[in-house]
Amino acid sequence: MTHTSEPASGENRDAKGNHRKSMAEKREHGKDIAVRGKGMHRRKFLGGMAGAGIAAVVGAGTTFSLLSGAAKNKASAADSTLVIPDLLEGTTTDSTTTFTLEAKTGTAEVLSGVTSDTMGYNQSFLGPTMKWTNGDTVLLNITNSLGADTTVHFHGAHVPAKMDGGPQVAFSDGTTWSPTFTVKDPATTLWYHPHALGTTAKQAVHGLAGMIIVEDSTDATAALPSDYGVDDVPLIFQCLAVDSAGDIKYDLTGYLSSGLSYPLLLNGTNVDSTTLGFTATKTRTRFRALNASPSDIITIQRSDGGTLTQISTDQGYLTEATDVTTIRLVAGARAEFTMDLSADATLQAVVTTGWVRGGSGTYDVLAITASGTDTPDDLPSTLNTIDRYDTSDFTARTITLGQSGTTMLINGSAGTSMSSMAMISTTVGAKEVWTIKNSTQLEHSFHLHDVPYQLISINGETPTGVELGWYDTYEVVGGGSIEIAMEFTDFSDDTYMYMLHCHLLQHEDEGMMAALMVTDS
Ligand code: C2O
Ligand code: CU
């Protein structure tokens, strides 16, 4: 992995606070990015998107204002404020919390100065954040207004197969799907996105993605920041491929067309030549990072090389807070980290291509102004208890990620239809260790639905540090392999299946997906 080192925020800017064009030129494959007229268009875009942000922020009880924002603060290099996705209010009756979502089409400025056709949940691009509480029952009424079939998958959630939003539960335009389940996940960061056969990449890259925060009321980590948009901040990264007309690409034909740019978005705002601002009113801030890119890898780091305190992986807290200098997220992965901010800091995203021609480069994405005066308590010394699996009596399987030309395979089968995909059959109570073998030279991101997994080995090496956490999405490099272990604790069904697949969405649509049937033993 090559790290291009970028000067600290503010050192590479013109009088308007924009990065100089050299940043765009550094991108290996990206075409030059239109800078002319950008300010005006960007403001227009924020006008459309920011309403939700204001509502969420004001609702969270702060005087933080998008209009005063970081631009006035000379310590910050930001020229507009981080948009916080709206928090979706649920209504609770008879101990069931009901959320209403509508998948719909719209337009947004993905590439500065250009209007793209997009999709979103309840808005024109991306979706609101949902908060679920462990032990509660949730009901979602999701209406499809896309003009095409869709599903909504709760990525990382431990729910019955019928409620999981896989391809078997696709629902058509004009209809409403209403899954309901008890939240069994621990405190963690999940997300939701479409999962219909062959259209996942198209729908997700156009904006159908949102965050889910699971809270646990009995959680020993209650001392961690949890005031949404104030000291608990979502960071949704997307590196897309867009032509100069703003058409967002999602398949091989599109990716091979000429004149593409690879814009990086943070919470829906283009950060190619803009650094967003966030004012930390509390000394300690928690960030929840999600890589919602179709394929590229996002590595988060500080511009000053300092540490981030990672507290969780995909599937919940680490045993203890762990200082790291980088957090590498493959497509679909999440991580949470905290920063104790006694001075301003800038977060960078390093984009590493996940496929033949994706994005690349280092971006100053978020300039954080430290304005907290409080002294936070020490972080809890133990965040979680993770019993490492002893896999000696686990059932072993090999899952081979393969390819035949442009058709992607799992165990030799292309999962482009329910009848053609490979099927793994197991039973409730089974404990298994899987070797995920990448027989291609391409990068893959291995995602398993239903249950979390532990990493047993990574390319033959024993995991250490944050690799000892719980995952649902992990990198499998070209020619490499990982061993993962999991336990199928509950939820049997002999009709509805879970999926396991590459989270490079183009690969998933091209067949790198298999089914998992969990039946009663
Ligand atoms: Cu995030 Cu099967 O998907
Ligand atoms: Cu892949």
Side-chain angles (χ1 to χ4, degrees), residues 257-485:
S257 56
S258 58
L260 298 187
S261 304
Y262 302 92
L264 178 65
L265 309 185
L266 177 54
N267 293 353
T269 306
N270 183 305
V271 290
D272 284 348
S273 48
T274 301
T275 303
L276 301 178
F278 176 77
T279 300
T281 53
K282 297 281 186 54
T283 301
R284 178 172 297 150
T285 303
R286 169 196 203 148
F287 294 95
R288 299 174 187 264
L290 157 65
N291 184 0
S293 299
S295 38
D296 287 337
I297 298 162
I298 305 283
T299 301
I300 300 162
Q301 62 188 27
R302 290 174 64 127
S303 65
D304 60 8
T307 55
L308 306 168
T309 304
Q310 187 170 345
I311 55 171
S312 78
T313 53
D314 292 333
Q315 284 282 333
Y317 294 121
L318 292 162
T319 54
E320 55 186 11
T322 306
D323 284 346
V324 295
T325 52
T326 58
I327 296 177
R328 181 176 169 91
L329 298 176
V330 284
R334 294 87 59 211
E336 298 174 25
F337 59 96
T338 62
M339 293 173 78
D340 284 358
L341 293 151
S342 51
D344 297 353
T346 297
L347 287 180
Q348 294 181 323
V350 182
V351 180
T352 314
T353 184
W355 43 282
V356 57
R357 286 177 69 203
S360 63
T362 300
Y363 300 78
D364 288 350
V365 294
L366 191 68
I368 306 163
T369 302
S371 80
T373 51
D374 59 312
T375 306
D377 293 338
D378 288 343
L379 282 169
S381 56
T382 301
L383 298 173
N384 196 5
T385 305
I386 301 179
D387 293 323
R388 294 288 296 171
Y389 290 134
D390 169 0
T391 59
S392 49
D393 61 351
F394 280 31
T395 305
R397 288 181 202 270
T398 299
I399 309 285
T400 303
L401 309 178
Q403 112 187 78
S404 167
T406 56
T407 300
M408 294 289 152
L409 308 168
I410 290 188
N411 290 354
S413 298
T416 47
S417 69
M418 291 311 295
S419 57
S420 66
M421 67 178 63
M423 190 168 85
I424 311 294
S425 299
T426 191
T427 51
V428 169
K431 299 174 178 188
E432 306 206 359
V433 56
W434 295 2
T435 301
I436 316 298
K437 197 170 163 319
N438 184 352
S439 70
T440 77
Q441 288 312 306
L442 304 169
E443 169 85 23
H444 301 297
S445 166
F446 185 78
H447 174 47
L448 173 65
H449 292 208
D450 185 19
V451 291
Y453 56 74
Q454 291 181 5
L455 293 160
I456 304 304
S457 71
I458 304 165
N459 302 314
E461 305 281 328
T462 303
T464 57
V466 301
E467 295 161 352
L468 297 170
W470 289 106
Y471 289 87
D472 59 51
T473 306
Y474 206 81
E475 180 170 19
V476 194
V477 297
S481 68
I482 58 173
E483 270 184 291
I484 62 175

Side-chain angles (χ1 to χ4, degrees), residues 153-156 164 191 193-195 200 332 447-449 473 499-501 503 505 508 513:
H153 167 55
F154 309 107
H155 179 128
D164 188 47
W191 64 300
H193 64 76
H195 216 307
T200 297
H447 174 47
L448 173 65
H449 292 208
T473 306
M499 297 289 128
L500 49 116
H501 59 92
H503 219 286
L505 301 178
E508 174 183 338
M513 179 154 69

